């Protein structure tokens, strides 16, 4: 039997394929997940679980919804707690998109956007980022004007895979354009609190239009909890809540209690996360100077370095990354995994342990010098 037609254009994420097939001694600069410990408040909350372990309400535990609402300056009915922010994306796309609809996604961008949009039956329309890989309102609006069937759009800042951000002016212009056309604007801000000095702006700083996605997975260092959320107008959220309820009932209740403990301890947990990525960034910058002879400037946020591939590697970036993985034993993800515009780049995740970062850069450098 064949899988359903909706899966025909969808392949497993190359990020996972490359990482899961890696030799045991390969340096993992592929996956985008924190490698520092789950912070103490979450461990304590999980250890304190007692009594029945119920499902909890579909929209999330009221105390967590209230805390997320406070975090975003929203009201409780503007918060939907989901199974990771990916649960929010899935539910929103299934709720609002169908055959004949178009959805704008960044190129390069997180591979789940086009995959989930296609699963919902929609057509994917990539929009370009600026030359510095920031949100470019002019390019976004141009794309919107050329696609009158667009029903939703996703922006992501700081960006996976580039680390690029979005200025408040660009966010305002994008929100205005979407509001004028009644388009569902989803602002994926899961990396917002992993920055290198200045906290990047949120779509919510640009006004009340659109939805913001957040997550425990990056700044709060708890991807395994699978707790994320969408914040904004309940009229957008209610149909998504129905999808999420039938798909998974609710995010795990013990994990939501751990998420609440993390959110309440944000004053300690987030600066600690930033110290961890600063350490890793410094390890990368030092190693880059040593083995590539170049100095690097930090991204707007997240833990990704978006680097140019050697010319010869651009013939077949996936083959190059497989060779790098199996010969040099270092895992990078080809930029082509993030869209057509990523073809000449690769993503290096510096979420890895600092000592592994130096060793990874040492191993990969000869492949750049050869070309
Ligand atoms: C840009 C972006 N959005 C969303 C997610 C999904 O995060 P989660 O489902 O763990 O909240 C990721 C994960 O890597 C991501 O990079």
């Amino acid at each position: 039997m064949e899988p359903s037609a909706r899966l025909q254009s969808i392949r497993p994420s190359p990020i996972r394929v490359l990482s899961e097939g890696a030799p045991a001694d390969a340096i993992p600069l592929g996956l985008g997940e924190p490698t520092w410990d789950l912070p103490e408040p979450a461990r304590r909350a999980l250890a304190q679980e007692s009594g029945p372990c119920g499902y909890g309400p579909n929209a999330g535990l009221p105390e967590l919804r209230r805390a997320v609402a406070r975090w975003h300056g929203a009201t409780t009915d503007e918060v939907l707690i989901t199974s990771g922010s990916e649960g929010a994306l899935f539910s929103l796309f299934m709720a609002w998109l169908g055959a004949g609809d178009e959805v704008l996604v960044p190129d390069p961008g997180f591979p789940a956007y086009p995959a989930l949009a296609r699963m919902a039956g929609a057509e994917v329309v990539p929009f370009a980022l600026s030359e510095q890989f920031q949100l470019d309102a002019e390019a976004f609006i141009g794309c919107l004007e050329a696609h009158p069937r667009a029903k939703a759009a996703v922006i992501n800042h700081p960006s996976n895979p580039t680390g690029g951000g979005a200025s408040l002016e660009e966010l305002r212009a994008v929100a205005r354009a979407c509001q004028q056309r009644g388009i569902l604007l989803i602002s994926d801000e899961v990396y917002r609190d992993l920055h290198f000095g200045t906290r990047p702006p949120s779509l919510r700083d640009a006004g009340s239009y659109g939805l913001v996605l957040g997550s425990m997975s990056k700044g709060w260092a708890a991807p395994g909890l699978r707790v994320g959320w969408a914040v904004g107008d309940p009229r957008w959220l209610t149909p998504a809540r129905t999808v999420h309820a039938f798909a998974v009932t609710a995010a795990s209740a013990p994990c939501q209690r751990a998420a609440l403990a993390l959110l309440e301890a944000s004053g300690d947990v987030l600066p600690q996360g930033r110290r961890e990525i600063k350490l890793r960034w410094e390890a990368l910058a030092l190693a880059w100077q040593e083995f590539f002879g170049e100095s690097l400037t930090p991204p707007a946020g997240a833990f990704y370095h978006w680097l140019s591939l050697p010319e010869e590697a651009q013939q077949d970036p996936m083959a190059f990354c497989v060779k790098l993985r199996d010969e040099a034993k270092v895992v990078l993800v080809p930029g082509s995994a993030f869209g057509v515009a990523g073809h000449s780049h690769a993503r290096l995740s510096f979420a890895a342990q600092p000592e592994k970062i130096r060793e990874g850069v040492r191993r990969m450098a000869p492949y750049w010098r050869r070309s």
Side-chain angles (χ1 to χ4, degrees), residues 33 36 94 116 151 206 226 234 254 273 275 322 348 358 368:
E33 63 180 359
W36 54 101
M94 292 301 276
L116 292 174
K151 202 169 166 195
R226 309 307 303 126
R275 280 194 290 279
V322 169
L348 181 160
R358 183 184 182 278
W368 268 254

Side-chain angles (χ1 to χ4, degrees), residues 32 83-87 89 110 113 156 160 188 190-191 214-218 223 226-228 304:
S83 189
S85 60
E86 234 166 311
L89 273 172
F110 182 42
Y113 306 145
N156 172 220
N160 174 8
D188 181 340
V190 299
Y191 293 102
S215 175
M216 279 289 136
S217 298
K218 312 295 177 180
R226 309 307 303 126
V227 175
Y304 301 120

